[in-house]
Amino acid sequence: MRDLDSLWMEHQGLTRRYLLRMGALGAMGLALPSGRAVFADDKPDPLAEAIRKLEYFTQPEAFGTVERGTPIPYTHPVEKLREVGMTRETWKLEVIPDPDAPAKMDAPLSKELKTALDFDGLMKLAEKHAVRFPKIMTCNNGGSPLGMGLWEGVPLRTVVWLAKPQSDLRRVFYYGYHNDDLKQRFQSSLPVGRVLEDPPGEHPVILCYKLNGEFLSGKRGGPVRMVVPEAYGFKSVKWLQRIMLTNAPYANDTYANGNNDVDSWMKTFARFISHPATVAADASIPITGLAQVGISGLKKVQVWLHPAEQALSPDDPYLNQGAWRDAEILAPPKNWAGGLPEGKLPENVRGFDPKTGEPQTWPMRYALAHWAVVLKDVAPGKYHLRCRTIDANDVAQPLPRPFAKSGRNSIQQVDLMVTAK
Ligand SMILES: Nc1nc2c(c(=O)[nH]1)N[C@H]1C(S)=C(S)[C@@H](COP(=O)(O)O)O[C@H]1N2
Ligand SMILES: [Mo]
């Protein structure tokens, strides 16, 4: 799913300076998890040019994608795309009562009543209400993020209020274009409270039309997708066309199938990006990675080098007792890239100081952090190398929620061989 090569490119710029400072970038260069050497400082490399264009935000086309449909909706010929509202010129959004448990509302936005919201209408609302924020897209069933975007949209509540809801409203159901085949429908839902009121510090749920400053492609869910800041990917429904206000008190998410925890907030966890497979005993060992910063924030990233032949304690399933040592969480980048002009963030990005353009807090929730560490003087032998996060509540990964169907966050483990001189 996730293309590690492109993730690697985003990450290199941040880690390279750190590793140079630590004297760890010698002739050995760094290696991808696959073991492929990417560059050595003293050698020209085919990737050197790309490395100069390193990215923190993910280029829209470099995102990992989780999609369904036969055919995939945005692959229809353009005439068909127009016909089914999958272009900005023809897109329409309905906000109607759920026929099975109708909320009372005075002004439904419906195609039948010719009151549905079109893209021009959304852009009018955007002039006054548009918001932008960084967010990682992660599938709860994926081992690492699909990509990190700067998402722009109109708060969903702005459009919900246009429909004048009055009562009998407990949840918001929504789905996208699905080839008009019920079996292909991908739907999700939120409590109405989450839509109407943001907990302090949280971003609003948005009707999103731009990613990294450009209109959303069909592949990324355009013309319009939902983006739910604190949630895993399945809440962020693509090709959005219908919202139903319901008095039903339960979730109706497609992702409730397949045993998924549909109420899970994003978790904090660490992943390796680069680590050598084999090093000589006298060499420094540069290790880099990323952390997804979930609802509970990020205080530390740690690594643990454990001799492979030493058994793990059966009383320590979450590896709390390892000899963990701190890595360095890297400062925010200067160049945010991801296709943003000159790598600069636009004005008024939530979480950034409007005067200085600097992040107000770092690491930032729901965004990536990059980290690096250099290990030295490791005795020859075979090792298991692991990484983990400590969240802002001082809870070590994979706790406080170790269960995979709420979002995969097991501690990653890789092999490392240290050879005698
Ligand atoms: N309409 C629709 N929206 C969808 C999906 C889908 O299959 N159809 N997949 C969901 C899932 S499971 C995930 S993880 C995210 C992935 O977003 P991305 O493909 O833009 O990375 O999209 C979500 N939105
Ligand atoms: Mo997903």
Side-chain angles (χ1 to χ4, degrees):
M1 268 198 323
R2 188 67 181 85
D3 177 1
L4 265 177
D5 276 28
S6 69
L7 200 58
W8 167 252
M9 309 286 250
E10 295 155 26
H11 165 82
Q12 273 245 28
L14 293 170
T15 53
R16 196 164 186 274
R17 249 170 303 143
Y18 170 81
L19 294 172
L20 281 170
R21 182 151 51 80
M22 300 299 285
L25 272 186
M28 64 174 287
L30 292 175
L32 278 171
S34 60
R36 178 159 74 82
V38 172
F39 72 87
D41 258 2
D42 54 351
K43 281 192 218 134
D45 184 281
L47 286 177
E49 189 52 32
I51 286 162
R52 243 168 265 133
K53 302 178 202 149
L54 296 173
E55 316 240 320
Y56 184 85
F57 284 110
T58 309
Q59 296 273 358
E61 55 283 3
F63 266 69
T65 301
V66 182
E67 59 189 12
R68 56 187 73 191
T70 322
I72 298 294
Y74 59 83
T75 63
H76 283 297
V78 65
E79 312 80 67
K80 172 84 176 171
L81 289 179
R82 278 198 204 106
E83 184 192 313
V84 300
M86 280 283 288
T87 66
R88 289 195 289 279
E89 295 70 34
T90 61
W91 176 80
K92 287 212 160 63
L93 179 69
E94 296 187 293
V95 183
I96 57 173
D98 173 12
D100 295 330
K104 288 207 179 73
M105 48 201 294
D106 286 352
L109 310 182
S110 96
K111 289 186 188 170
E112 208 184 318
L113 299 170
K114 303 215 179 338
T115 54
L117 181 72
D118 62 13
F119 201 80
D120 283 347
L122 185 65
M123 291 302 97
K124 274 260 146 47
L125 295 171
E127 286 169 17
K128 196 159 160 215
H129 301 283
V131 295
R132 310 183 178 102
F133 53 79
K135 175 203 165 42
I136 304 174
M137 194 62 68
T138 301
C139 183
N140 62 312
N141 291 314
S144 62
L146 297 160
M148 174 134 115
L150 178 67
W151 308 90
E152 176 177 322
V154 168
L156 171 57
R157 62 175 156 270
T158 306
V159 172
V160 166
W161 279 121
L162 287 182
K164 298 201 160 83
Q166 300 301 332
S167 65
D168 302 345
L169 174 50
R170 291 191 278 186
R171 280 190 89 83
V172 178
F173 289 170
Y174 50 94
Y175 55 86
Y177 177 67
H178 50 277
N179 300 322
D180 299 318
D181 173 1
L182 205 56
K183 291 195 295 295
Q184 297 184 38
R185 188 188 281 181
F186 188 87
Q187 61 191 14
S188 192
S189 72
L190 288 167
V192 70
R194 174 61 188 96
V195 174
L196 298 183
E197 180 180 18
D198 304 326
E202 299 287 357
H203 304 305
V205 176
I206 58 171
L207 298 169
C208 169
Y209 49 83
K210 275 188 179 176
L211 168 60
N212 299 354
E214 300 290 333
F215 282 124
L216 276 184
S217 64
K219 188 163 191 184
R220 291 276 67 77
V224 176
R225 80 183 291 176
M226 196 71 84
V227 171
V228 181
E230 71 281 12
Y232 279 98
F234 62 87
K235 291 277 182 197
S236 293
V237 166
K238 296 183 272 197
W239 319 310
L240 188 71
Q241 296 196 337
R242 178 170 278 178
I243 292 169
M244 295 200 302
L245 303 188
T246 184
N247 203 25
Y250 48 79
N252 72 341
D253 298 36
T254 299
Y255 248 44
N257 304 325
N259 203 22
N260 296 295
D261 171 1
V262 295
D263 290 324
S264 185
W265 294 312
M266 277 181 34
K267 298 179 181 181
T268 297
F269 64 82
R271 292 289 176 247
F272 290 112
I273 294 181
S274 77
H275 55 85
T278 306
V279 290
D282 59 346
S284 315
I285 308 173
I287 297 158
T288 74
L290 62 82
Q292 167 172 304
V293 185
I295 186 107
S296 289
L298 175 67
K299 186 177 275 181
K300 280 181 179 179
V301 175
Q302 299 182 318
V303 297
W304 172 27
L305 200 56
H306 176 248
E309 75 279 4
Q310 262 176 37
L312 293 169
S313 161
D315 306 327
D316 184 26
Y318 300 128
L319 307 178
N320 261 309
Q321 291 154 27
W324 294 97
R325 46 167 292 179
D326 294 353
E328 184 170 330
I329 296 172
L330 302 178
K334 292 279 171 252
N335 183 334
W336 296 87
L340 293 163
E342 293 168 47
K344 288 213 167 59
L345 291 177
E347 306 218 309
N348 297 323
V349 177
R350 290 175 58 94
F352 288 77
D353 186 301
K355 287 213 185 75
T356 63
E358 298 290 320
Q360 282 157 334
T361 56
W362 195 263
M364 263 183 156
R365 288 200 298 174
Y366 318 128
L368 286 183
H370 293 252
W371 55 268
V373 63
V374 176
L375 304 178
K376 288 183 172 147
D377 303 322
V378 179
K382 263 178 112 170
Y383 292 89
H384 291 151
L385 175 66
R386 295 182 175 86
C387 63
R388 73 172 184 186
T389 50
I390 309 284
D391 71 22
N393 294 324
D394 282 319
V395 178
Q397 183 192 336
L399 294 168
R401 295 182 291 137
F403 308 116
K405 294 307 276 186
S406 331
R408 277 203 218 165
N409 70 334
S410 56
I411 291 177
Q412 192 185 357
Q413 172 189 326
V414 297
D415 292 333
L416 175 70
M417 172 76 94
V418 181
T419 57
K421 281 184 225 179

Short mmCIF file of all heavy atoms in Angstrom, two decimals, residues 110-153:
data_model
loop_
_atom_site.label_atom_id
_atom_site.label_comp_id
_atom_site.label_asym_id
_atom_site.label_seq_id
_atom_site.Cartn_x
_atom_site.Cartn_y
_atom_site.Cartn_z
N SER A 110 -31.64 19.07 -1.33
CA SER A 110 -31.91 17.84 -2.06
C SER A 110 -31.97 18.09 -3.56
O SER A 110 -32.34 19.18 -4.01
CB SER A 110 -33.22 17.20 -1.56
OG SER A 110 -34.32 17.56 -2.36
N LYS A 111 -31.58 17.06 -4.30
CA LYS A 111 -31.63 17.16 -5.76
C LYS A 111 -33.08 17.30 -6.20
O LYS A 111 -33.40 18.09 -7.09
CB LYS A 111 -31.00 15.91 -6.39
CG LYS A 111 -29.49 15.86 -6.21
CD LYS A 111 -28.91 14.68 -6.97
CE LYS A 111 -27.43 14.52 -6.63
NZ LYS A 111 -26.85 13.28 -7.13
N GLU A 112 -33.95 16.52 -5.56
CA GLU A 112 -35.37 16.53 -5.92
C GLU A 112 -35.95 17.93 -5.77
O GLU A 112 -36.69 18.41 -6.64
CB GLU A 112 -36.09 15.54 -5.00
CG GLU A 112 -37.32 14.94 -5.60
CD GLU A 112 -38.02 14.05 -4.56
OE1 GLU A 112 -37.32 13.31 -3.84
OE2 GLU A 112 -39.26 14.14 -4.48
N LEU A 113 -35.64 18.60 -4.67
CA LEU A 113 -36.17 19.95 -4.43
C LEU A 113 -35.35 21.03 -5.13
O LEU A 113 -35.64 22.22 -5.00
CB LEU A 113 -36.18 20.24 -2.92
CG LEU A 113 -37.03 19.33 -2.04
CD1 LEU A 113 -36.76 19.59 -0.56
CD2 LEU A 113 -38.52 19.52 -2.36
N LYS A 114 -34.32 20.58 -5.84
CA LYS A 114 -33.38 21.51 -6.50
C LYS A 114 -32.72 22.48 -5.51
O LYS A 114 -32.47 23.65 -5.82
CB LYS A 114 -34.11 22.31 -7.62
CG LYS A 114 -34.76 21.42 -8.68
CD LYS A 114 -34.66 22.08 -10.03
CE LYS A 114 -35.24 21.30 -11.19
NZ LYS A 114 -35.41 19.87 -11.08
N THR A 115 -32.48 21.97 -4.32
CA THR A 115 -31.82 22.80 -3.30
C THR A 115 -30.45 22.23 -2.92
O THR A 115 -29.83 22.71 -1.97
CB THR A 115 -32.68 22.90 -2.02
OG1 THR A 115 -32.99 21.56 -1.59
CG2 THR A 115 -33.96 23.67 -2.27
N ALA A 116 -30.01 21.19 -3.64
CA ALA A 116 -28.70 20.59 -3.29
C ALA A 116 -27.60 21.63 -3.43
O ALA A 116 -27.70 22.56 -4.24
CB ALA A 116 -28.43 19.38 -4.18
N LEU A 117 -26.54 21.45 -2.65
CA LEU A 117 -25.40 22.37 -2.71
C LEU A 117 -24.51 22.00 -3.90
O LEU A 117 -24.19 20.83 -4.07
CB LEU A 117 -24.59 22.24 -1.41
CG LEU A 117 -23.37 23.16 -1.26
CD1 LEU A 117 -23.80 24.60 -1.02
CD2 LEU A 117 -22.48 22.67 -0.12
N ASP A 118 -24.15 23.01 -4.71
CA ASP A 118 -23.21 22.71 -5.80
C ASP A 118 -21.84 23.27 -5.46
O ASP A 118 -21.64 23.90 -4.41
CB ASP A 118 -23.73 23.21 -7.15
CG ASP A 118 -23.90 24.72 -7.18
OD1 ASP A 118 -23.41 25.41 -6.26
OD2 ASP A 118 -24.56 25.22 -8.13
N PHE A 119 -20.88 23.05 -6.35
CA PHE A 119 -19.49 23.41 -6.04
C PHE A 119 -19.32 24.93 -5.92
O PHE A 119 -18.59 25.40 -5.04
CB PHE A 119 -18.53 22.83 -7.09
CG PHE A 119 -17.12 22.73 -6.58
CD1 PHE A 119 -16.73 21.68 -5.77
CD2 PHE A 119 -16.19 23.71 -6.89
CE1 PHE A 119 -15.43 21.60 -5.28
CE2 PHE A 119 -14.88 23.64 -6.41
CZ PHE A 119 -14.50 22.58 -5.60
N ASP A 120 -20.05 25.68 -6.77
CA ASP A 120 -19.99 27.15 -6.63
C ASP A 120 -20.50 27.57 -5.26
O ASP A 120 -19.93 28.48 -4.62
CB ASP A 120 -20.85 27.83 -7.70
CG ASP A 120 -20.15 27.83 -9.05
OD1 ASP A 120 -18.93 27.53 -9.09
OD2 ASP A 120 -20.83 28.11 -10.06
N GLY A 121 -21.57 26.93 -4.83
CA GLY A 121 -22.13 27.23 -3.51
C GLY A 121 -21.11 26.94 -2.41
O GLY A 121 -20.96 27.70 -1.45
N LEU A 122 -20.40 25.82 -2.57
CA LEU A 122 -19.38 25.47 -1.58
C LEU A 122 -18.26 26.51 -1.58
O LEU A 122 -17.77 26.92 -0.52
CB LEU A 122 -18.83 24.07 -1.89
CG LEU A 122 -17.82 23.50 -0.89
CD1 LEU A 122 -18.47 23.26 0.48
CD2 LEU A 122 -17.20 22.20 -1.40
N MET A 123 -17.87 26.96 -2.78
CA MET A 123 -16.80 27.97 -2.87
C MET A 123 -17.23 29.30 -2.26
O MET A 123 -16.43 30.01 -1.67
CB MET A 123 -16.36 28.17 -4.32
CG MET A 123 -15.62 26.98 -4.93
SD MET A 123 -14.12 26.51 -4.02
CE MET A 123 -14.75 25.20 -3.01
N LYS A 124 -18.52 29.62 -2.38
CA LYS A 124 -19.04 30.84 -1.72
C LYS A 124 -18.87 30.72 -0.21
O LYS A 124 -18.42 31.66 0.45
CB LYS A 124 -20.54 31.00 -2.05
CG LYS A 124 -20.81 31.73 -3.35
CD LYS A 124 -21.16 33.19 -3.11
CE LYS A 124 -20.65 34.08 -4.24
NZ LYS A 124 -20.98 33.53 -5.58
N LEU A 125 -19.25 29.54 0.31
CA LEU A 125 -19.09 29.33 1.75
C LEU A 125 -17.61 29.38 2.14
O LEU A 125 -17.25 29.88 3.20
CB LEU A 125 -19.68 27.98 2.15
CG LEU A 125 -21.19 27.82 1.99
CD1 LEU A 125 -21.61 26.38 2.23
CD2 LEU A 125 -21.94 28.76 2.95
N ALA A 126 -16.77 28.88 1.23
CA ALA A 126 -15.33 28.82 1.52
C ALA A 126 -14.75 30.22 1.72
O ALA A 126 -13.84 30.41 2.53
CB ALA A 126 -14.60 28.08 0.39
N GLU A 127 -15.27 31.20 0.97
CA GLU A 127 -14.74 32.57 1.09
C GLU A 127 -14.75 33.02 2.55
O GLU A 127 -13.86 33.71 3.00
CB GLU A 127 -15.58 33.55 0.25
CG GLU A 127 -15.30 33.42 -1.23
CD GLU A 127 -16.31 34.18 -2.09
OE1 GLU A 127 -17.01 35.07 -1.53
OE2 GLU A 127 -16.40 33.87 -3.29
N LYS A 128 -15.77 32.61 3.27
CA LYS A 128 -15.88 33.04 4.66
C LYS A 128 -15.43 31.98 5.66
O LYS A 128 -14.92 32.31 6.73
CB LYS A 128 -17.35 33.41 4.91
CG LYS A 128 -17.56 34.20 6.16
CD LYS A 128 -18.86 34.98 6.15
CE LYS A 128 -19.21 35.34 7.60
NZ LYS A 128 -20.66 35.31 7.82
N HIS A 129 -15.61 30.71 5.33
CA HIS A 129 -15.47 29.68 6.35
C HIS A 129 -14.31 28.71 6.14
O HIS A 129 -14.09 27.83 6.97
CB HIS A 129 -16.76 28.84 6.41
CG HIS A 129 -17.98 29.63 6.72
ND1 HIS A 129 -18.29 30.06 7.99
CD2 HIS A 129 -18.98 30.10 5.92
CE1 HIS A 129 -19.43 30.74 7.96
NE2 HIS A 129 -19.87 30.77 6.72
N ALA A 130 -13.56 28.85 5.04
CA ALA A 130 -12.54 27.82 4.75
C ALA A 130 -11.53 27.68 5.88
O ALA A 130 -11.12 28.67 6.49
CB ALA A 130 -11.80 28.19 3.46
N VAL A 131 -11.15 26.45 6.18
CA VAL A 131 -10.08 26.19 7.14
C VAL A 131 -9.07 25.22 6.50
O VAL A 131 -9.41 24.47 5.58
CB VAL A 131 -10.60 25.56 8.45
CG1 VAL A 131 -11.49 26.53 9.20
CG2 VAL A 131 -11.33 24.25 8.21
N ARG A 132 -7.84 25.27 7.01
CA ARG A 132 -6.79 24.36 6.53
C ARG A 132 -6.05 23.79 7.72
O ARG A 132 -5.76 24.52 8.68
CB ARG A 132 -5.75 25.13 5.72
CG ARG A 132 -6.30 26.00 4.65
CD ARG A 132 -5.16 26.64 3.87
NE ARG A 132 -5.69 27.45 2.81
CZ ARG A 132 -5.77 28.78 2.88
NH1 ARG A 132 -5.33 29.42 3.95
NH2 ARG A 132 -6.28 29.45 1.88
N PHE A 133 -5.75 22.51 7.64
CA PHE A 133 -4.94 21.91 8.71
C PHE A 133 -4.18 20.70 8.17
O PHE A 133 -4.60 20.08 7.20
CB PHE A 133 -5.81 21.51 9.91
CG PHE A 133 -6.99 20.64 9.59
CD1 PHE A 133 -6.85 19.27 9.37
CD2 PHE A 133 -8.27 21.19 9.51
CE1 PHE A 133 -7.95 18.47 9.10
CE2 PHE A 133 -9.38 20.40 9.22
CZ PHE A 133 -9.21 19.03 9.01
N PRO A 134 -3.03 20.39 8.82
CA PRO A 134 -2.30 19.19 8.43
C PRO A 134 -2.95 17.97 9.06
O PRO A 134 -3.43 18.05 10.19
CB PRO A 134 -0.90 19.39 9.05
CG PRO A 134 -0.96 20.64 9.86
CD PRO A 134 -2.36 21.13 9.90
N LYS A 135 -2.95 16.89 8.34
CA LYS A 135 -3.45 15.62 8.89
C LYS A 135 -2.86 14.45 8.14
O LYS A 135 -2.81 14.46 6.91
CB LYS A 135 -4.98 15.54 8.79
CG LYS A 135 -5.54 14.20 9.23
CD LYS A 135 -6.90 13.92 8.63
CE LYS A 135 -7.33 12.46 8.73
NZ LYS A 135 -7.06 11.77 9.99
N ILE A 136 -2.47 13.44 8.90
CA ILE A 136 -2.03 12.19 8.31
C ILE A 136 -3.25 11.37 7.93
O ILE A 136 -4.21 11.31 8.69
CB ILE A 136 -1.23 11.36 9.33
CG1 ILE A 136 -0.05 12.14 9.87
CG2 ILE A 136 -0.74 10.06 8.73
CD1 ILE A 136 0.68 11.41 10.97
N MET A 137 -3.22 10.77 6.76
CA MET A 137 -4.24 9.78 6.40
C MET A 137 -3.64 8.41 6.69
O MET A 137 -2.57 8.08 6.18
CB MET A 137 -4.59 9.92 4.92
CG MET A 137 -5.86 9.19 4.51
SD MET A 137 -7.37 9.78 5.33
CE MET A 137 -7.56 11.41 4.63
N THR A 138 -4.32 7.66 7.55
CA THR A 138 -3.85 6.31 7.88
C THR A 138 -5.03 5.36 7.88
O THR A 138 -6.09 5.69 8.43
CB THR A 138 -3.20 6.28 9.29
OG1 THR A 138 -2.12 7.21 9.32
CG2 THR A 138 -2.67 4.90 9.63
N CYS A 139 -4.86 4.21 7.28
CA CYS A 139 -5.87 3.16 7.38
C CYS A 139 -5.63 2.43 8.69
O CYS A 139 -4.49 2.06 8.99
CB CYS A 139 -5.78 2.19 6.21
SG CYS A 139 -7.09 0.95 6.27
N ASN A 140 -6.68 2.21 9.47
CA ASN A 140 -6.47 1.52 10.75
C ASN A 140 -5.89 0.13 10.54
O ASN A 140 -5.25 -0.42 11.44
CB ASN A 140 -7.79 1.44 11.55
CG ASN A 140 -8.86 0.65 10.83
OD1 ASN A 140 -9.09 0.87 9.64
ND2 ASN A 140 -9.51 -0.27 11.51
N ASN A 141 -6.07 -0.42 9.34
CA ASN A 141 -5.52 -1.75 9.06
C ASN A 141 -4.16 -1.71 8.39
O ASN A 141 -3.62 -2.76 8.03
CB ASN A 141 -6.50 -2.53 8.19
CG ASN A 141 -7.75 -2.89 8.96
OD1 ASN A 141 -7.67 -3.35 10.09
ND2 ASN A 141 -8.91 -2.66 8.37
N GLY A 142 -3.60 -0.52 8.22
CA GLY A 142 -2.30 -0.41 7.57
C GLY A 142 -1.20 -0.25 8.60
O GLY A 142 -1.41 0.29 9.69
N GLY A 143 -0.02 -0.70 8.26
CA GLY A 143 1.09 -0.65 9.21
C GLY A 143 1.73 0.72 9.32
O GLY A 143 2.40 1.01 10.31
N SER A 144 1.55 1.57 8.33
CA SER A 144 2.14 2.91 8.40
C SER A 144 1.25 3.90 7.65
O SER A 144 0.36 3.50 6.90
CB SER A 144 3.56 2.91 7.84
OG SER A 144 3.55 2.54 6.49
N PRO A 145 1.47 5.21 7.85
CA PRO A 145 0.59 6.20 7.23
C PRO A 145 0.56 6.12 5.70
O PRO A 145 1.53 5.73 5.07
CB PRO A 145 1.21 7.52 7.67
CG PRO A 145 1.89 7.21 8.96
CD PRO A 145 2.45 5.83 8.77
N LEU A 146 -0.58 6.52 5.13
CA LEU A 146 -0.72 6.56 3.67
C LEU A 146 -0.13 7.85 3.11
O LEU A 146 0.23 7.92 1.94
CB LEU A 146 -2.21 6.49 3.30
CG LEU A 146 -2.94 5.21 3.70
CD1 LEU A 146 -4.44 5.42 3.73
CD2 LEU A 146 -2.57 4.08 2.75
N GLY A 147 -0.04 8.86 3.95
CA GLY A 147 0.51 10.15 3.52
C GLY A 147 0.06 11.24 4.46
O GLY A 147 -0.86 11.03 5.27
N MET A 148 0.71 12.38 4.36
CA MET A 148 0.31 13.51 5.18
C MET A 148 -0.07 14.67 4.28
O MET A 148 0.66 15.01 3.35
CB MET A 148 1.45 13.91 6.08
CG MET A 148 1.06 15.13 6.76
SD MET A 148 1.20 15.48 8.36
CE MET A 148 2.35 16.80 8.11
N GLY A 149 -1.23 15.26 4.53
CA GLY A 149 -1.72 16.32 3.66
C GLY A 149 -2.03 17.60 4.41
O GLY A 149 -2.26 17.59 5.62
N LEU A 150 -2.02 18.70 3.67
CA LEU A 150 -2.58 19.95 4.15
C LEU A 150 -3.97 20.03 3.51
O LEU A 150 -4.10 20.27 2.30
CB LEU A 150 -1.72 21.14 3.72
CG LEU A 150 -2.27 22.49 4.16
CD1 LEU A 150 -2.23 22.63 5.67
CD2 LEU A 150 -1.50 23.62 3.50
N TRP A 151 -4.98 19.76 4.29
CA TRP A 151 -6.35 19.63 3.78
C TRP A 151 -7.10 20.94 3.98
O TRP A 151 -6.98 21.57 5.03
CB TRP A 151 -7.07 18.50 4.52
CG TRP A 151 -6.32 17.20 4.52
CD1 TRP A 151 -5.42 16.79 5.47
CD2 TRP A 151 -6.36 16.16 3.54
NE1 TRP A 151 -4.92 15.54 5.13
CE2 TRP A 151 -5.48 15.13 3.96
CE3 TRP A 151 -7.08 15.99 2.34
CZ2 TRP A 151 -5.28 13.96 3.21
CZ3 TRP A 151 -6.89 14.81 1.62
CH2 TRP A 151 -5.99 13.83 2.05
N GLU A 152 -7.85 21.34 2.98
CA GLU A 152 -8.64 22.57 3.08
C GLU A 152 -10.10 22.25 2.81
O GLU A 152 -10.42 21.50 1.88
CB GLU A 152 -8.15 23.60 2.05
CG GLU A 152 -9.00 24.87 2.04
CD GLU A 152 -8.49 25.92 1.07
OE1 GLU A 152 -7.26 26.08 0.94
OE2 GLU A 152 -9.34 26.59 0.45
N GLY A 153 -10.98 22.87 3.60
CA GLY A 153 -12.40 22.63 3.40
C GLY A 153 -13.26 23.58 4.20
O GLY A 153 -12.77 24.44 4.93
#
